[in-house]
Amino acid sequence: MVDGLENVIFVTDDRPEDGSLDILGLYDGVALTERDRYGFGELPDRIILYREPLLAACADLDELKDQIHVTLVHEIAHFYGIDDDQLHELGWA
């Protein structure tokens, strides 16, 4: 478990809504840096991994495992309020 990663669910879907193969994952929620506070009863934030784009981007199982790891780190970082520019600087874009 990652410290502070609460009220987040991890799901998979075949593809993003637009059907593209360009997006490997998505954070769907409000970053910790942008929310006032959580009360009672909010739906959980979601981190979505897209199966078909991930499979299309990888040549073998080892590459797939590595890409899933990178994608999860990337999307979890969005939960903590780290944007794509910062992730790119850190090597996680």
Side-chain angles (χ1 to χ4, degrees), residues 23-61:
I23 300 171
L24 304 179
L26 177 70
Y27 169 64
D28 179 25
V30 178
L32 288 180
T33 55
E34 296 178 15
R35 61 176 72 160
D36 184 24
R37 64 179 210 168
Y38 255 9
F40 178 75
E42 280 92 354
L43 291 174
D45 293 354
R46 297 183 314 152
I47 292 177
I48 307 164
L49 293 179
Y50 295 113
R51 185 179 61 81
E52 291 176 9
L54 283 163
L55 290 171
C58 300
D60 58 35
L61 184 58

Side-chain angles (χ1 to χ4, degrees), residues 6 10-11 14 22-24 28-29 34 45-46 48 67 70-71 78 82 87 92-93:
E6 297 176 359
F10 294 83
V11 297
D14 288 336
D22 297 330
I23 300 171
L24 304 179
D28 179 25
E34 296 178 15
D45 293 354
R46 297 183 314 152
I48 307 164
Q67 187 57 62
V70 168
T71 303
H78 286 319
I82 300 172
L87 284 167
W92 292 100

